[in-house]
Amino acid sequence: MNRRTKTAVLGLGAALLVTAGATGATGAAGAVTSASAGATDSTTSAPSVASASDERQREAAALTGRAKLYRSAGDDITFSFDAHLAAKDNDDPLKATGTFEWSHYAGGDGAWAKAEVDCLVTGGKVAVVSGVVTDSDLPGAKGKRVGITVHDTGRQDRLGYSWASTGNPVETKDLPKCVGSAPFEKVKKGTGDFTVVPWNPKF
């Protein structure tokens, strides 16, 4: 596959991953702590589990999930997200962590990319996440910052990306953190969905 083909195909859409692993990891850590405590003193098991549950509830903001976008031409476009803002960082969305991935294939051609989260802002059921591409088979994509906007409608989620007006992320220059486009794309029904945890900043 030549560079021009990859650039054109990936520019049409993308798949973004924001791993739900951060929250899952917290739960797993709590479970291990609980099991260890139970081996020495059964009375400490319940508090350990409760602590893990409380930790999950205190998350300041999040964008998670995986789904394909709808394209009438049949393009295979997948986004996945695992972005989180810890409760202790509630006042600083630039401390968000996680990753996201996207891919776009059509007629056997396409490309994929993975980025590390550097900002996450959510309001109600809308989220904007940005990150720098750390791995991709699209020439010139590594090191580029991209931004994604997701609207968690609860029925058919919507999505937009920062390179909507330029055609591909490689041509997007000097993008600020937490900048995306309006969520004009629609998720293909039955392929998954995205979940947004609202942020409540202290003003």
Side-chain angles (χ1 to χ4, degrees):
M1 184 190 309
N2 59 43
R3 174 174 178 172
R4 179 175 298 176
T5 301
K6 285 185 177 180
T7 300
V9 173
L10 186 58
L12 295 176
L16 200 106
L17 170 65
V18 173
T19 340
T23 300
T26 302
V32 171
T33 301
S34 176
S36 177
T40 56
D41 185 353
S42 60
T43 61
T44 62
S45 298
S48 297
V49 173
S51 177
S53 177
D54 291 344
E55 190 66 31
R56 287 194 296 270
Q57 293 175 4
R58 288 197 300 269
E59 187 170 41
L63 170 61
T64 58
R66 178 184 177 88
K68 294 181 181 293
L69 298 187
Y70 169 76
R71 284 293 177 85
S72 59
D75 300 34
D76 186 352
I77 307 170
T78 304
F79 281 89
S80 53
F81 305 87
D82 182 14
H84 303 266
L85 181 65
K88 64 183 180 64
D89 299 319
N90 185 72
D91 296 332
D92 191 355
L94 299 184
K95 290 185 178 180
T97 61
T99 59
F100 56 84
E101 297 180 10
W102 71 94
S103 62
H104 185 171
Y105 295 94
D109 292 327
W112 62 273
K114 180 177 181 178
E116 183 174 349
V117 173
D118 61 13
C119 183
L120 172 65
V121 173
T122 66
K125 288 298 183 178
V126 176
V128 179
V129 64
S130 64
V132 175
V133 176
T134 57
D135 199 9
S136 177
D137 59 356
L138 176 67
K142 289 184 181 180
K144 291 286 186 179
R145 175 175 290 112
V146 294
I148 310 293
T149 303
V150 170
H151 185 190
D152 175 13
T153 69
R155 299 183 63 182
Q156 187 175 22
D157 297 343
R158 303 181 71 98
L159 183 147
Y161 32 84
S162 57
W163 60 94
S165 62
T166 62
N168 67 76
V170 176
E171 296 180 7
T172 304
K173 298 180 180 179
D174 303 321
L175 184 76
K177 296 179 179 180
C178 269
V179 172
S181 74
F184 61 95
E185 299 263 21
K186 292 182 179 181
V187 165
K188 185 177 181 179
K189 293 182 179 180
T191 65
D193 62 4
F194 306 122
T195 300
V196 173
V197 175
W199 179 43
N200 294 306
K202 299 176 182 179
F203 294 129

